[in-house]
Amino acid sequence: MANTSYVGVGPADRDPTVSDNSVTTAKIQDNAVTGAKIAMTSDAAGDILTYTGTDYARLPIGAVGRVLKVASGGTAVEWATDTAGTGDVVGPGSATDDALARFDTTTGKLIQNSTATLSDAGTLTATAFSGPITGAVTGNVTGNIDGTVGATTPSTVVATQVDITAQGDLRLQDTTGGEYVAIQAPTAVTSWTLTLPTNDGTASQFLQTDGAGVSTWATVITDTSGAWTSGTSTTGKALVMGF
């Protein structure tokens, strides 16, 4: 005969108490526990269940636009205002070392390399500069300077060569500005260099050249000997005529 006996459960055993950790995960059917079996007190859509270190607690959903971050203590999470910038920024797959980044297109979302570089030592290198430079510039300038140097305060420009092209003027202004003394080259000339004397000479001297571009100060000599032949002084001196 088949065994038809069974174990009876008395009224006192119909609502047994389950102690902590007495039900192992092996005894729980997969996917058997749903949200309907979990309550965090005042549940609302979007709530998050977090562990406090001793128990699980409810973190209500944050306000629109807020982000979830680790709290200052480093053991909990909290909602916070998003401080990051807006828009998607896309950079190149590879970049030139030290190249300054520049925005491309009006959206400001694409970053590209530039030909300007800034070294780790702070050296800025570029092929051209446009616009005013208001700070101090030290070091060598190998390109062209198109603008005013020292517009508001006296400045010193040091260079090994200054080229003024197209028969332009070298203008030396007076103290008030606007009035000047200018020097310019002839319309057409074969290049030559004038080397000035080593000092400023003495009163009444004149500047003379040796025919090779070297100039010196010379004194006008008055011949009082009266010895002249065919308009030439017998002593080889200059003729000074007085009236």
Side-chain angles (χ1 to χ4, degrees):
M1 293 181 61
N3 187 0
T4 58
S5 62
Y6 61 90
V7 178
V9 178
D13 298 324
R14 291 176 182 173
D15 189 14
T17 300
V18 179
S19 61
D20 293 342
N21 301 322
S22 63
V23 179
T24 62
T25 56
K27 296 179 181 179
I28 301 175
Q29 184 179 356
D30 292 346
N31 302 318
V33 179
T34 64
K37 299 298 183 181
I38 301 175
M40 294 181 287
T41 308
S42 302
D43 298 347
D47 287 351
I48 299 175
L49 185 65
T50 63
Y51 186 64
T52 63
T54 57
D55 201 355
Y56 286 92
R58 167 183 173 262
L59 178 65
I61 188 172
V64 175
R66 307 200 80 190
V67 296
L68 195 63
K69 73 170 188 177
V70 178
S72 58
T75 59
V77 292
E78 63 182 4
W79 294 106
T81 302
D82 186 5
T83 58
T86 59
D88 300 325
V89 177
V90 180
S94 60
T96 303
D97 186 35
D98 293 338
L100 297 181
R102 63 186 181 90
F103 286 106
D104 183 59
T105 76
T106 58
T107 63
K109 296 181 179 181
L110 181 63
I111 292 181
Q112 293 182 337
N113 277 332
S114 67
T115 57
T117 60
L118 182 63
S119 71
D120 296 337
T123 300
L124 177 62
T125 303
T127 56
F129 292 88
S130 178
I133 299 176
T134 57
V137 178
T138 59
N140 300 326
V141 178
T142 58
N144 299 326
I145 299 177
D146 183 10
T148 303
V149 179
T152 57
T153 57
S155 301
T156 300
V157 178
V158 179
T160 56
Q161 178 177 312
V162 176
D163 288 344
I164 301 177
T165 61
Q167 204 183 9
D169 294 347
L170 173 61
R171 297 186 178 186
L172 308 176
Q173 293 193 9
D174 59 16
T175 55
T176 59
E179 301 299 328
Y180 56 86
V181 174
I183 301 174
Q184 67 175 214
T187 303
V189 64
T190 301
S191 298
W192 57 275
T193 301
L194 177 64
T195 302
L196 296 176
T198 57
N199 54 50
D200 60 351
T202 59
S204 301
Q205 285 190 312
F206 66 94
L207 196 64
Q208 69 176 6
T209 177
D210 65 353
V214 178
S215 61
T216 55
W217 295 109
T219 301
V220 176
I221 300 174
T222 302
D223 187 359
T224 59
S225 65
W228 290 85
T229 303
S230 299
T232 302
S233 170
T234 57
T235 57
K237 298 177 180 179
L239 174 63
V240 177
M241 300 181 66
F243 295 92

